[in-house]
Amino acid sequence: QSILCLVQNEAYATMDCLTRASQMDATCIKLPMISTLCVVLIAASTAAFSAETPQLADDRLTISLFAESPEIVTPIGMVIDDQDRIFVVESHTHHPLADYAGPSHDRIKMFIDSDSDGQVDQVSVFADGLTQAMNIALSPEGQLYVVCAREVLRLEDRDSDGICDHQEQILQLVTQERYAHNCLLGITFDRDGWMYVARGNVGSHYYRFQGQDRSSVEGFGDGGNVVRCRSDGTQIEEFATGFWNPFDLKFDHFGRLLLVDNDPDARGPNRLLQVVRGGDYGYKSLYGGGGNHPFQGWDGTLPGTLPFIAGTGEAPSGVIDCRRAALPTGYDKSVLVTIWNENSIEKFDLQESGSTLTSSGRQPFVTGGKQFRPVAIDCDRRGNLFITDWVLVDYPNHGHGRIWRISPRAEIETSKPVSYFSTSPESPGMSQLRAIESVGHEDLIELLQSEDQFLVHAARMRLANSSMAQLRDLLQRHSSAAVRMGMLLASKQVKLDSPELIGAFLTDADIEIRRAAIMWAGESMNPSVRDDLDRVLTTGTASRPLFEAYLAAIENLNGDFAAAVLRRGPGRANQLMRELPAGLIAKIARDANQSISVRELAIEKLSDLELSQNSDWLQQLLNSTDDKLCVAVAKRYADTAVLQDGTQEILARLALDSSRDSEVRCEAIFALSRHLRDTVDDLLVLLSAPDQNVAIESARTIRAWLDRAAAASAASLVGQLQQSDLGGAVMERLAAAAALNKVNIDQKVQVPQTKEQWHEVLAEGGDALRGRRVFASDRVGCTKCHTVGGRGGTLGPDLAGVAWSKSRSQIIDSILDPSAEFAPQYQAWLVITSDGIIHRGLQLDHKAGGKINLTLSDGSLKQFAAEEIEDYQASPTSLMPTGLFEVMTIGEFQDLVAYLCSRSRGSEGK
C-alpha cells in the first residue's frame, strides 16, 4: 500500500510539472525521478481500470476517450467557454480516505484541443486551493464561477495567462451541515446575467444564504431550493423550492430552466423538472424522506405544488439541451441527463402542453459498464458533447477519472448548435407565462381555472402581488372552487397567516380547499388556529386525505413542535418530536357528534394498544346495529395480530347472523380468516348461504385456514366438502384451495392460457367490495407492498387512485405481466454477495467505502459491506411477483380488477 501511495504521489507530482511546463510554453520539461518499478506499477494500476468504451444507442454518433487519469481524476463539474477551453472540477476533498495520496485541495483543470482532433493537446491547472467544489458555470460576460459546498466564488484571470489570479466570494451558505451533497450543488446563468444556485436539503439543518449587499435567504425544514442573485452577489432571492438535492440546472434554448433532482430517499422518483419562479416542487425536509407525510409529495398532486417532467434513473447529475449539440435529426426537442448510479445517459423527448413540459419517458442514449459514472455534460462551439466520468462507484476520492467526447460521424448531417446565451425566441408556453404579468382581472380569474398547472401557478403568483389585495378579498367568495383555491394559495404565498382567513377556508364547501386550508393552518405554526381546525371535521364529507391532513396539522400545533420550528431548532428539523395529543384518535372515534365517515376513519387509525384499551367499547360497536361502524371495527380487527378475549366469538356470531347486512357479515368473516386456528366447522354452513357474497367469503376463509392446516386436517375437511352440494362459484374457490394444498376435488374450470383470453374473461364483471378483501388477503398479499386507504406497504406505488391514470386493460396487464412496465422509482435491484446469495430489493443507496444499502422486498433495510458484494445490477423484472393470477381463482381476479378500477378521484376514503 505504501508503494502505491508513492506511485500516486509521484504521478501527481509529474502532472504538476507537466502542467506548469505547459503554462510556460516550456520546450524542456524536467520530470521528478520515478523508478522503473514505479513506472511499471503505474502502468499496471492504470490497466486495471482501462477505459471500457460506453455504448451509444445512436449509430450515427461516435464516442471516444478524450482524457483519463492521471490527467484528470474524480471529475465533477465542467463548462466549456467560447474558445473551446474545457474547465473541469477535479475533486480531491470529497471524503478522501486517510491515506489518500492526492492534493489536499480541489482544482479546476483546463483542457485544450487546439487542432480539434478529439485529443488533448494541453492540460493545466487554472485554479487551486478549493474545498468541496461541486460545479462551475460561465456568466454571459465569460467570467468563471465555481460553486463549492458552502460558497460561490468568482475566478478571474486578470492577466490572461490561463491561470486564475483572483478569487472572490460572491455568496456564502451558513449551515452546520457538512456533507457536500446536501449543500450547494448547481450553478448557471440566464441571458440577463442573473446567477442561479441550487442548494440541497442541508440535512434539515438551519441555513442562511448571505449576499454581498446584506440581502439573504434563510430557512429551516424546507426543501432544497434555487436562489438567484446578480452576478456580483447582490439582490439575492429565493426562486423556487421543494427539491431534494438539485445537482444540476441549465436553461434550454427557449429560456426554460431545467433541473435534475437527485435521490428522493424512500419515495421516488429522481426527477427532471421545469423550474419557474415561485414554484414549489413538494419536498420539505421537516417531514423526513419517506414521502408519505400528508404535507409532502413531489408529483404535483398536493395543492400549490408543481409536477415534474419525467422520472429519471437513480442519481441524475447533469442535464443539457440537445439543441446545444451538433446532433442528427430527432434531437431538436430532447434533453440529455447523465445518470451516475445507472452508468448511463438518458434522453428525454419533451412536449409542451400549453406552458407545461411533459415527456413520454426516458430512452437510452449512452450505456456503460460498472466503471462508467457520468456526471457533468457540456458542448463546445462545434457541438461536440463532453462528459466527465467519476469511473468508480466509490464516493471517496480514488484517483481515477475520465472525460468522454461524443461527435457525429463525418458523413452525417447535423443541426447547427445553439450557443447557451443565444437570443432564441421564447417558446409559446413561455410567452403565455410572461403575458400573465399584464392581463386584466377577468383574464386572470379565467387563468386560475385553467387545466395547465404552470399557467395556474403564474396566475397565482400575479394574484400574490401586493397590488392585488383588493381582488384577493373579492375572490374569497367566488363561485368557482378553482378561483377560491387560487386566492387561498396566493394569500399563503404572501404569508397572510390570518387565523380568520384560514378559519373561513376550513369550512369551505369544496373538500380540496378545506384540505389546502388544513395544510395552511398546520404550516403556519400558529397555535391560535388549533380550535378552528376541529371545525373542518364537522363540515361536509371527510375523505381520508383530509382526515390525515387534519391529524398532521394537529401534530404541528401540539406541544413544543411549532415553537421549536420557529426558533429553528435545536438540531435538525426532521428530528423534532411531533405527536398527537394522547387519546385524540379514540376520542374522535367515540364522539357520537362526529359524522360516521369521520368515526370510521378514526377507528382505522387506532393503534393496537388503543384496540386493547377500548376493547369493551369496540365489542359494543360490533354488537350494535350501526352497520358502517361495525364494518370499520371488523376491518381494523382484520389488520391486528391478536384479538381481545371474546372478540372472535362476536365476529363469528355476526358472520352467522342472516339478519345482518351482507357487508357486515363478509367483513366479519374476513377478519376471522386472519385469526381462525383450530377449526372452521362453524363456517361450513355458510358455504351454501343464500347470500352469494357470504358464501364466497366463507370459501375464501376456509381456503386461508387450509393454507395453515395440517395435511390430515385439510384432507378430512375436503372429504366432507366433496359430499356437499355446493354452487359453482363456491366450488371453484374450494377447488383452487384444494389444488394449492395438494388435495383433489373434481371440478372442471377452464383457466385462460393466454393474455388475450384473460382480457376476454376479465373485460367486465367482478365485485369491488369482494375485491378489496382479495387485495388485503394473505394469499394475494397486495398490501405487503401497496397502500390503499392509508394502509399497506410502500415498496410499490400507492394505488388509492390507480384508476385515475390506468384503464381496466392496463390494470389487467400490470397483474399478468408486472415487469412489462413499471415506474423508475420502483426499479428493483439485485445485490449478489460473495456467498452466492442474491438479495432483491427496491431502493439502492451507495455509501462511503463501497457499502450498499438495499431496501429488501419485505420492507426491511439491509447494509452490505464492500468486501461481501460480488456484483449488483438493476433487475430486469419488477418486485411485484409474476404468476399472481395463479394463486387466484378467475372470480377473485375479476373482483380484484373491479376493486382497482374503482380507485378513482373521490374514492380515497372508501
Side-chain angles (χ1 to χ4, degrees), residues 19 159 162 235 251 278 304 376 432 470 546 558 610 666 715 771 825 845 881:
T19 295
D159 58 7
Q235 302 178 45
F251 287 91
Q432 279 184 295
Q470 187 174 2
L546 182 137
N558 182 47
E610 289 172 317
C666 288
Q825 63 267 41
D845 289 322

Side-chain angles (χ1 to χ4, degrees), residues 6 46 71 91 186 243 249 258 275 281 326 384 394 444 447 462 501 506 514 549 619 672 769 783:
L6 171 64
T46 304
E71 289 178 331
S91 174
F243 310 109
L249 70 168
L258 305 178
V275 180
Y281 295 83
N384 299 302
D394 304 39
L444 189 63
L447 286 166
R462 172 81 188 285
L501 187 58
L506 285 170
R514 295 200 300 276
Q619 289 177 0
L672 289 171
L769 288 176
T783 53

Side-chain angles (χ1 to χ4, degrees), residues 627-644:
D627 289 342
K628 288 187 176 182
L629 293 180
C630 194
V631 164
V633 175
K635 284 181 177 180
R636 181 62 189 89
Y637 275 132
D639 282 339
T640 190
V642 179
L643 292 181
Q644 283 72 47

Side-chain angles (χ1 to χ4, degrees), residues 74-88:
T74 46
I76 312 181
M78 173 178 60
V79 71
I80 305 175
D81 71 5
D82 58 9
Q83 301 175 53
D84 286 343
R85 297 184 299 177
I86 303 171
F87 296 90
V88 181

